[in-house]
Amino acid sequence: MKQERIKIELKQWALSDAKELTSLCNAVNRRFLSDRLPNPYTEKDAEEWLKMVTDNEATTGVYRAIVCNGELVGSISVEKKDGDAGIGYMLLNDYSNKGIGTEAVKQICSIAFKVLSLEQITANVFQPNIASIRVLQKNGFKHKGTLPNAVVKDGNDYDLLIYGLTKETI
């Protein structure tokens, strides 16, 4: 049987995407996501975030919807912070382990290095998040350090792993 080809595209967010973003944020597995993402995620949260995105696109960040075969399946961004830039992403469970996250990270890093004139992109990962660690490693991110027991999430203490990618690497 021939496997269906997966087409991944990163689409710029628009203010009109509030309903879709709300659905995505309420459906995604939050086990390894920052608590900065409101729960439950309301349409008002989506509207506020989308306004911030449109105000800051290409100046302090690059923000994209992850679209797979025409369907919204995740979100990814690179944001400048204190002389560095951090990458963050989330993907619906049904789309994990299919190469979508790896391709999305590859695409956003290429865009971000050019558009934001970056030297490095940093990723913070909770230690047990093996899938995310693999996505970063496949894209050339190198382990830079570990902060032991730096994160408490749902009553669990996690080490925070720090990964970095320099523009020379890509």
Side-chain angles (χ1 to χ4, degrees):
M1 177 182 271
K2 190 174 180 181
Q3 192 173 7
E4 181 185 337
R5 182 164 163 77
I6 297 174
K7 182 178 182 248
I8 300 158
E9 115 185 69
L10 299 186
K11 176 183 111 30
Q12 271 191 270
W13 288 104
L15 294 173
S16 59
D17 293 325
K19 282 189 187 335
E20 277 189 299
L21 177 60
T22 303
S23 294
L24 171 72
C25 290
N26 285 316
V28 74
N29 182 339
R30 293 167 176 265
R31 181 173 176 210
F32 298 124
L33 292 181
S34 163
D35 285 337
R36 139 182 168 184
L37 185 70
N39 187 16
Y41 196 84
T42 66
E43 200 164 322
K44 183 176 187 270
D45 294 323
E47 289 166 355
E48 289 172 0
W49 187 81
L50 290 167
K51 179 168 182 353
M52 183 280 301
V53 163
T54 56
D55 289 348
N56 293 291
E57 176 64 36
T59 56
T60 61
V62 176
Y63 310 86
R64 299 290 186 272
I66 303 171
V67 178
C68 179
N69 295 336
E71 184 178 344
L72 175 66
V73 300
S75 181
I76 189 165
S77 63
V78 174
E79 296 179 80
K80 284 184 175 181
K81 290 180 185 159
D82 302 324
D84 193 8
I87 187 170
Y89 47 90
M90 62 182 175
L91 196 61
L92 292 172
N93 271 359
D94 289 349
Y95 294 88
S96 296
N97 299 312
K98 298 180 187 313
I100 296 167
T102 300
E103 179 62 23
V105 168
K106 177 182 174 184
Q107 288 183 31
I108 197 94
C109 287
S110 178
I111 294 165
F113 276 118
K114 289 176 192 154
V115 171
L116 300 175
S117 302
L118 302 173
E119 296 297 319
Q120 176 171 284
I121 297 172
T122 302
N124 296 329
V125 185
F126 298 0
Q127 187 277 324
N129 190 349
I130 302 302
S132 193
I133 292 167
R134 286 190 185 131
V135 163
L136 295 168
Q137 290 172 335
K138 287 178 186 177
N139 278 288
F141 280 76
K142 302 293 181 214
H143 183 249
K144 301 290 186 179
T146 301
L147 299 173
N149 299 317
V151 178
V152 177
K153 176 86 178 183
D154 299 329
N156 298 304
D157 291 340
Y158 294 122
D159 291 351
L160 188 65
L161 306 180
I162 303 164
Y163 282 82
L165 178 71
T166 60
K167 72 177 181 180
E168 292 80 27
T169 310
I170 62 167

